[in-house]
Amino acid sequence: RIVRIPPPVLSSRQVREMQEAAEAAEVEATEAPEMPHGWPVGGIYTCEKEDERAITVAKRFEVNVDKLVQINKVTYPGLNKTVPLRAGTLLRLPLPLAHDQAKESWFEPAQAILNKLMSARHSSIFAAPVEWDEPDSGMEDYPFIITQPMDLGTVEGKLLSDQYRTVDELAADVRLTFGNAMAYS
């Protein structure tokens, strides 16, 4: 005699976690665009010699020099196209010009959607990182529940500084923003 055991009943949280894990695996399975020969691991270039300039790095890796400067301006406020760099300076590279054209197909629509989200009536709570460490916030447990904080302001900053290689990376951060809100509520 065969006894059939019913499938386990999953809570909505378990189902959501399984869906998120499947989405994360799908994003990882998506191949990153093939980079040119000699492209540094992770897109981070370490200046090899003194007096190297952003413009020469941009030419070497065939990237837009203005984007290269814009992305790295946060870390190096005095950076411009021709300022001499020290050996060991780390520069995050934007997508190569050939790949940049493919990005243009999703960049503007994604930016429009993000702007619409950020201008929605109650979006201000998602516009900046959660200030859980403020006195009397009552959110002392926030970092224990939310291990990967994200907000729409950070998403916008990453989008404008060319830190998303694919639209899927952007979508994952937007989902993370709202997922964190649901998880903590």
Side-chain angles (χ1 to χ4, degrees), residues 105-121:
S105 67
W106 62 264
F107 181 82
E108 287 186 22
Q111 188 175 23
I113 291 168
L114 188 60
N115 288 341
K116 195 167 194 163
L117 279 172
M118 292 186 73
S119 63
R121 186 174 182 186

Side-chain angles (χ1 to χ4, degrees), residues 10 23 28 39 54 57 59 68 72 108 114 126 149 152 163:
L10 300 175
E23 288 174 4
E28 285 179 23
W39 189 263
V57 173
K59 285 179 184 175
L68 176 72
N72 293 285
E108 287 186 22
L114 188 60
F126 300 106
L152 295 179
Q163 292 183 36

Side-chain angles (χ1 to χ4, degrees), residues 32-33 35-36 38-46 57 61 63 68 71-72 89-96 162-163 165:
M35 294 299 159
W39 189 263
V41 176
I44 307 292
Y45 172 70
T46 305
V57 173
F61 293 105
V63 298
L68 176 72
I71 291 169
N72 293 285
T89 301
L90 300 176
L91 294 176
R92 201 174 66 70
L93 300 175
L95 287 174
D162 208 23
Q163 292 183 36
R165 303 255 182 221

Side-chain angles (χ1 to χ4, degrees), residues 3-72:
V3 178
R4 294 192 180 224
I5 300 171
V9 177
L10 300 175
S11 69
S12 61
R13 182 177 182 169
Q14 290 171 317
V15 170
R16 187 173 58 245
E17 288 172 353
M18 288 174 58
Q19 289 172 336
E20 289 172 357
E23 288 174 4
E26 189 177 308
V27 168
E28 285 179 23
T30 306
E31 289 185 25
E34 189 175 316
M35 294 299 159
H37 177 70
W39 189 263
V41 176
I44 307 292
Y45 172 70
T46 305
C47 293
E48 298 165 350
K49 54 189 175 195
E50 291 289 325
D51 298 332
E52 202 166 2
R53 297 178 185 335
I55 196 161
T56 57
V57 173
K59 285 179 184 175
R60 177 177 175 186
F61 293 105
E62 298 177 5
V63 298
N64 182 316
V65 69
D66 294 320
K67 284 187 178 181
L68 176 72
V69 169
Q70 179 187 10
I71 291 169
N72 293 285

